[in-house]
Amino acid sequence: MTRLKISVQAADFDLAAEYAAIATQPGIGGIGCFIGQVRAGSDLISLTLEHYPGMTEKALHAIAHQASQRWPLHAITIIHRIGTLTIGQPIVLVLAAAAHRHAALSATQFLIDWLKTDAPFWKQERFSDGGSHWVEARQSDQQARQAWDIPLG
Amino acid sequence: MTRLKISVQAADFDLAAEYAAIATQPGIGGIGCFIGQVRAGSDLISLTLEHYPGMTEKALHAIAHQASQRWPLHAITIIHRIGTLTIGQPIVLVLAAAAHRHAALSATQFLIDWLKTDAPFWKQERFSDGGSHWVEARQSDQQARQAWDIPLG
Amino acid sequence: MITVLYFAWVRDRVGTDAETLALPAGVTTLGALLTHLASLSPRHANALARPELLRAAVNQLFARPETPIAPGDEIAIFPPLTGG
Amino acid sequence: MITVLYFAWVRDRVGTDAETLALPAGVTTLGALLTHLASLSPRHANALARPELLRAAVNQLFARPETPIAPGDEIAIFPPLTGG
């Protein structure tokens, strides 16, 4: 059984509390983690994250389910923030815990790769000159997601 | 320039503090993290971690240097505990921060894979019947380390 | 009746985030619905002009042009996803 | 003189964690030193009996049987690493 926590929220998350909540599950030997944050760019002031309420949570559950089918995971945590975030603020937290490091780190990578392409979030950038634009999806994200399904032999 | 923190210590580490110390570096978009902890096993009571003072720090610096040659990293943190640790206690923390998630997560995986085979630590297990034995190295760790050097084409 | 939701720049261009409309006779797939929606107003036409830039969901599951739709469905139209 | 350090079960079997000794004439490589060390006592012989289970460092760098050694070197002998 994989302990699952999924949250879409405006508030910041508490890395230490989320880690502590899963680290004490019996049988865990490794915990992988990824935190994405607003990266400074030329004249960028903030990002505004929009999502599709209802569908987002379903999509994140489906992604977590996929991960738990691929690796023996003790716990998965996905927290994604919405609303307006300034440079350096955290956007997303992914945690995956397993008996061994390979499963924990592979699942962490998988979860963030799939979240990028399969969870209905959109980012709008705002600049110091007052302008704004919607971030375009990157081909590399689609490739990273699809790479998980390339047969190895 | 990669901000580097390497520590071999008996004391526990503070994940939130280590994360906060690197997250504010300019230009970071993603932070990968791995925490290894003492996994419960049949009758296991504790692990005692021994190391080679002097060489350990050099080896960890060499591993961090390798990672920073392979990916554009803003920060690397490696903290490895020594002494006697009971079940569930953290052993090792690896953090890698970069502009993009792929570099951050690949470097995290690389650092822990190489640490397993290239840093002079040894684990002794103690059991509830009073017995103890030195953990044997796993072939899979050697393979994981070498996989980083297999040409892709 | 169906509900159509718009997100991100699709919403900005259409000028509304949601509308409820009757499903015209003969419109039984997502692709046909997109063609119908584009005929509703110049703003709709502009927002939906390039289907290759659009993605969609029917009842909160990702959908393709051939995905069937029926009265009562919730259809969402949006740009490629950019979360994480 | 050279310093020889032992770690983990190698130390347990040898019975000491460090010793200082003179480098005998003709011993110029790590491999030759291992053979010499194994001759020092039954405990040394037992600890060093299976070189394929051992790893070593010369002056804190991983070394191989052919690695040269010289007076003043710090040599460490230990099992394969099991950290992390």
Side-chain angles (χ1 to χ4, degrees), chain A residues 131-142:
Chain A
S132 70
H133 80 88
W134 291 95
V135 174
E136 283 187 38
R138 288 186 302 193
Q139 185 65 22
S140 61
D141 285 335
Q142 200 61 43

Side-chain angles (χ1 to χ4, degrees), chain B residues 1-140:
Chain B
M1 278 293 291
T2 307
R3 176 196 183 276
L4 190 58
K5 172 176 176 176
I6 285 173
S7 175
V8 179
Q9 60 188 48
D12 197 1
F13 45 78
D14 180 339
L15 172 62
E18 299 302 334
Y19 164 68
I22 67 173
T24 52
Q25 300 261 112
I28 293 177
I31 298 167
C33 171
F34 178 77
I35 293 153
Q37 62 182 35
V38 183
R39 187 176 61 254
S42 53
D43 301 322
L44 183 72
I45 288 183
S46 67
L47 278 185
T48 298
L49 277 137
E50 175 177 334
H51 79 126
Y52 181 175
M55 180 170 171
T56 311
E57 292 77 1
K58 283 183 197 171
L60 294 176
H61 273 91
I63 293 166
H65 181 73
Q66 274 288 325
S68 66
Q69 295 291 304
R70 288 169 185 243
W71 296 277
L73 301 175
H74 288 69
I76 295 172
T77 298
I78 305 174
I79 301 177
H80 201 298
R81 296 177 69 191
I82 50 172
T84 297
L85 304 174
T86 55
I87 287 166
Q89 285 199 288
I91 302 169
V92 60
L93 170 68
V94 169
L95 285 165
H100 298 284
R101 76 182 186 284
H102 176 260
L105 278 171
S106 295
T108 302
Q109 175 99 53
F110 175 92
L111 289 164
I112 187 68
D113 279 353
W114 278 46
L115 186 153
K116 288 259 175 187
T117 58
D118 285 46
F121 291 100
W122 300 273
K123 286 196 190 95
Q124 187 175 38
E125 294 179 328
R126 287 175 204 283
F127 299 96
S128 53
D129 66 1
S132 70
H133 80 89
W134 291 95
V135 174
E136 284 186 37
R138 287 186 302 194
Q139 185 64 23
S140 61

Side-chain angles (χ1 to χ4, degrees), chain A residues 14-101:
Chain A
D14 180 339
L15 171 61
E18 299 302 334
Y19 163 69
I22 67 173
T24 52
Q25 300 260 113
I28 293 177
I31 298 168
C33 171
F34 178 78
I35 293 153
Q37 62 182 37
V38 182
R39 187 177 61 252
S42 52
D43 300 322
L44 183 71
I45 289 182
S46 67
L47 278 186
T48 298
L49 277 137
E50 175 178 334
H51 79 126
Y52 181 174
M55 182 171 171
T56 311
E57 292 78 0
K58 283 182 195 171
L60 293 176
H61 273 92
I63 293 166
H65 181 73
Q66 274 288 324
S68 66
Q69 296 290 306
R70 288 169 186 241
W71 297 278
L73 301 175
H74 288 69
I76 295 171
T77 298
I78 305 174
I79 301 178
H80 200 298
R81 296 178 69 189
I82 50 173
T84 297
L85 303 174
T86 55
I87 288 166
Q89 285 200 288
I91 302 170
V92 60
L93 170 68
V94 169
L95 286 166
H100 298 286
R101 77 181 185 283

